[in-house]
Amino acid sequence: MRLNVVLRYMGIVMLLVAVFLFLSAGVSLIHGFDTGFYPLLLSSVLTAALGGFPLIFVEKTDRINIKEGYAIVVGGWLIACFVGTFPYLLWGGEFDIPTAWFESVSGFTTTGSTSLADIEALPNGLLFWRSCTHWLGGLGVVMFVLVILPSLGRTKMTLSSVEMSPLARENYKYKTQKIVRILLWLYVSMTLAETVLLRVAGMDWFDAVNHALSCMATGGFSTKNLSLAHFNSAWIEGITMIFMTLSAIHFGLIFATFTGQRNNIFRSEVVRFFIATIVVGGALISLNLFTTGVYPTFGQSVRYGGFQAVSVISTTGFATADTSVWPPLAVMVLILMMFQCGCAGSTSGGIKSDRVWLSLKVLRARILQQQHPNAVIRVKLNNVTQSEQLIGLALLFIVIYILITVVGSIMISATGMDLMSSFSLVAASMGNVGPGFGEVGSMANFSEISPLVRFMSTLFMLLGRLEIFGLIQLFLIKWWK
């Protein structure tokens, strides 16, 4: 593996991050030259300088192998998280090294957990930068690089195959260059649409832009300490629910729906399963909240229960209520949603609805095979027969995902944290959901959590965002030879 080639493309990632740091400095300038201006500007210059060196000293190459592709993708994520700490550390305040690293990783992985006790104390420039880390991480730092570098040719194919899982690529019937254009077009268009609607619903432009950036990335960073509960607006919550749901659906299917093609969201059985999960889960939570007297009216129970159901399953993590004090049934349904999450090909994290639905189909096929030993039973997804290799990979991913969650929960609980907090922390970090329960509930933050636990949480965030295998392979010594 050619390390110099890997460093060259990591340099391109840093240049992209530098552009958004510079834009954030511009926001600071517009908002009265606030205290975030110089940290953001200096961070932009420093990041651009670090990113420029590999481009100067390493020759351009049009071909990379799959190992180099993995190293570029994983290295790109890690270097983005690293340089993302610069403005936080330069600004100071609550930020020390563990806090800055946690905030940066949580942003780029679109987890949305925060270790800040007072978010509203941040200057507007830094608040915008937090939202930018979400927006960059949602579509994928490397996917953005593919968009702005149309001349990569075969390299683009290698990188996109590493960045997107086989399930995510399944609903794209286009060449790589068109895929990334579709992704960017949808991403930008829906972000702009949500910004305008949130402004009409009552947010000011700054809050509308920031929440739209977070929502489209299914991230969850807010400009307010109480998240969306601060606004106490049913209109804002309704608009956010619509876009959280859309952001958790395969972007290729959304594009196909807009362009009138047959393989659209209405014909996808995975999307139907995802929506059915939201409806059934939201109904169970709402009924449980009403029957246990958490909210006095059924309307309030539906409003808060439905919103949190969509927020969790889409892995956005916006909060309008303190779910840690909800009854056990509601909490259990949210935890199950926290594992399943949205669809492949979206900005959502977690196991993905595609894998869960596929595993249920495999289970059904296995039962039928027991009843009819001589029958040839094929597993189909959207009327397409799934290969044994893809089915095996999906089931292996689910097993490893659950295993890591269990082992991680044991490791966190060994630090002294209670079982519910430990388990939900790992599950929320792996799924890039954000809030969990107990000490890390929807209205809590990580400011009182030990630096060791926060660092471990960032590892789970990266594992979940890179869908486990990418990050693991990077640290296998034999793989580098």
Side-chain angles (χ1 to χ4, degrees):
M1 185 170 64
R2 297 166 296 175
L3 184 60
N4 58 334
V5 173
V6 174
L7 291 175
R8 176 182 173 83
Y9 287 103
M10 288 172 62
I12 297 173
V13 170
M14 283 190 278
L15 290 178
L16 175 65
V17 174
V19 170
F20 280 83
L21 282 166
F22 187 76
L23 290 175
S24 301
V27 171
S28 288
L29 186 62
I30 293 171
H31 286 86
F33 207 62
D34 66 35
T35 55
F37 176 75
Y38 284 116
L40 287 163
L41 184 61
L42 289 173
S43 298
S44 176
V45 173
L46 178 58
T47 303
L50 291 173
F53 276 114
L55 295 180
I56 295 172
F57 296 107
V58 180
E59 293 184 4
K60 179 182 176 182
T61 179
D62 291 329
R63 288 179 178 272
I64 60 173
N65 58 43
I66 194 67
K67 289 184 179 181
E68 291 165 348
Y70 269 109
I72 290 168
V73 169
V74 177
W77 280 100
L78 293 176
I79 200 66
C81 293
F82 174 70
V83 299
T85 65
F86 291 172
Y88 300 140
L89 294 172
L90 290 173
W91 186 74
E94 287 188 61
F95 291 107
D96 51 17
I97 291 177
T99 304
W101 173 252
F102 183 91
E103 207 73 10
S104 183
V105 174
S106 180
F108 278 108
T109 59
T110 71
T111 304
S113 301
T114 183
S115 54
L116 298 175
D118 187 5
I119 296 168
E120 295 175 37
L122 297 180
N124 286 342
L126 278 184
L127 288 173
F128 183 74
W129 167 242
R130 289 171 82 241
S131 301
C132 284
T133 60
H134 267 349
W135 202 68
L136 279 169
L139 192 58
V141 175
V142 177
M143 290 303 291
F144 268 110
V145 170
L146 295 179
V147 171
I148 62 177
L149 292 176
S151 61
L152 283 179
R154 190 175 181 84
T155 298
K156 178 177 288 190
M157 295 176 61
T158 304
L159 291 178
S160 64
S161 67
V162 172
E163 178 73 2
M164 300 174 68
S165 69
L167 284 171
R169 290 194 297 273
E170 189 170 285
N171 285 296
Y172 287 116
K173 308 301 181 184
Y174 315 105
K175 294 182 178 179
T176 302
Q177 188 170 344
K178 189 169 183 179
I179 289 175
V180 294
R181 287 179 179 174
I182 288 171
L183 284 169
L184 186 63
W185 181 83
L186 278 172
Y187 205 51
V188 173
S189 298
M190 291 198 292
T191 303
L192 291 175
E194 186 180 5
T195 299
V196 173
L197 289 173
L198 289 176
R199 178 67 182 91
V200 172
M203 283 188 181
D204 60 37
W205 281 113
F206 181 75
D207 286 335
V209 169
N210 278 275
H211 284 88
L213 292 174
S214 291
C215 183
M216 287 311 305
T218 60
F221 275 162
S222 175
T223 56
K224 306 299 181 183
N225 290 328
L226 294 178
S227 190
L228 285 188
H230 171 90
F231 301 96
N232 193 27
S233 167
W235 284 106
I236 289 175
E237 292 164 21
I239 292 167
T240 306
M241 284 176 69
I242 292 171
F243 281 93
M244 285 192 297
T245 304
L246 287 174
S247 301
I249 294 175
H250 195 296
F251 276 29
L253 291 175
I254 297 175
F255 177 79
T257 305
F258 283 142
T259 53
Q261 300 177 40
R262 288 182 59 84
N263 59 323
N264 53 51
I265 58 176
F266 303 106
R267 292 177 177 270
S268 170
E269 57 183 281
V270 173
V271 174
R272 290 197 295 269
F273 172 67
F274 171 63
I275 298 299
T277 305
I278 293 176
V279 173
V280 173
L284 285 173
I285 293 169
S286 301
L287 285 170
N288 189 227
L289 293 176
F290 180 64
T291 55
T292 54
V294 176
Y295 297 104
T297 67
F298 185 66
Q300 283 182 310
S301 300
V302 171
R303 174 183 172 181
Y304 295 109
F307 183 90
Q308 291 306 139
V310 176
S311 181
V312 167
I313 199 169
S314 66
T315 74
T316 308
F318 284 138
T320 57
D322 187 0
T323 57
S324 293
V325 298
W326 282 7
L329 176 61
V331 171
M332 180 58 66
V333 173
L334 286 175
I335 288 175
L336 292 175
M337 288 181 158
M338 192 181 291
F339 275 90
Q340 177 182 311
C341 303
C343 305
S346 70
T347 57
S348 176
I351 290 175
K352 302 289 193 304
S353 296
D354 306 63
R355 292 190 180 97
V356 174
W357 183 237
L358 183 61
S359 66
L360 292 175
K361 287 206 161 196
V362 172
L363 176 61
R364 176 180 176 273
R366 180 60 181 168
I367 293 173
L368 290 174
Q369 192 74 62
Q370 291 279 73
Q371 296 172 346
H372 309 282
N374 297 323
V376 178
I377 300 172
R378 294 182 174 86
V379 178
K380 293 185 177 181
L381 203 61
N382 294 321
N383 293 321
V384 177
T385 301
Q386 302 299 301
S387 67
E388 291 295 327
Q389 182 184 17
L390 185 61
I391 292 172
L393 284 173
L395 296 179
L396 178 63
F397 181 89
I398 293 174
V399 170
I400 294 178
Y401 190 99
I402 295 173
L403 181 62
I404 291 175
T405 304
V406 171
V407 173
S409 301
I410 295 172
M411 292 169 62
I412 298 295
S413 62
T415 65
M417 185 176 286
D418 66 89
L419 184 59
M420 174 56 80
S421 298
S422 301
F423 177 75
S424 63
L425 181 150
V426 178
S429 298
M430 282 290 294
N432 304 135
V433 176
F437 300 96
E439 294 181 44
V440 290
S442 56
M443 289 298 173
N445 56 65
F446 283 66
S447 59
E448 299 299 323
I449 305 298
S450 71
L452 174 61
V453 172
R454 278 186 281 167
F455 177 73
M456 292 168 68
S457 299
T458 60
L459 293 181
F460 295 127
M461 292 176 195
L462 288 166
L463 274 171
R465 184 60 182 86
L466 292 166
E467 299 211 328
I468 300 174
F469 298 115
L471 189 61
I472 289 176
Q473 286 192 85
L474 191 67
F475 296 99
L476 295 177
I477 300 300
K478 290 183 178 180
W479 182 77
W480 287 79
K481 294 179 180 179

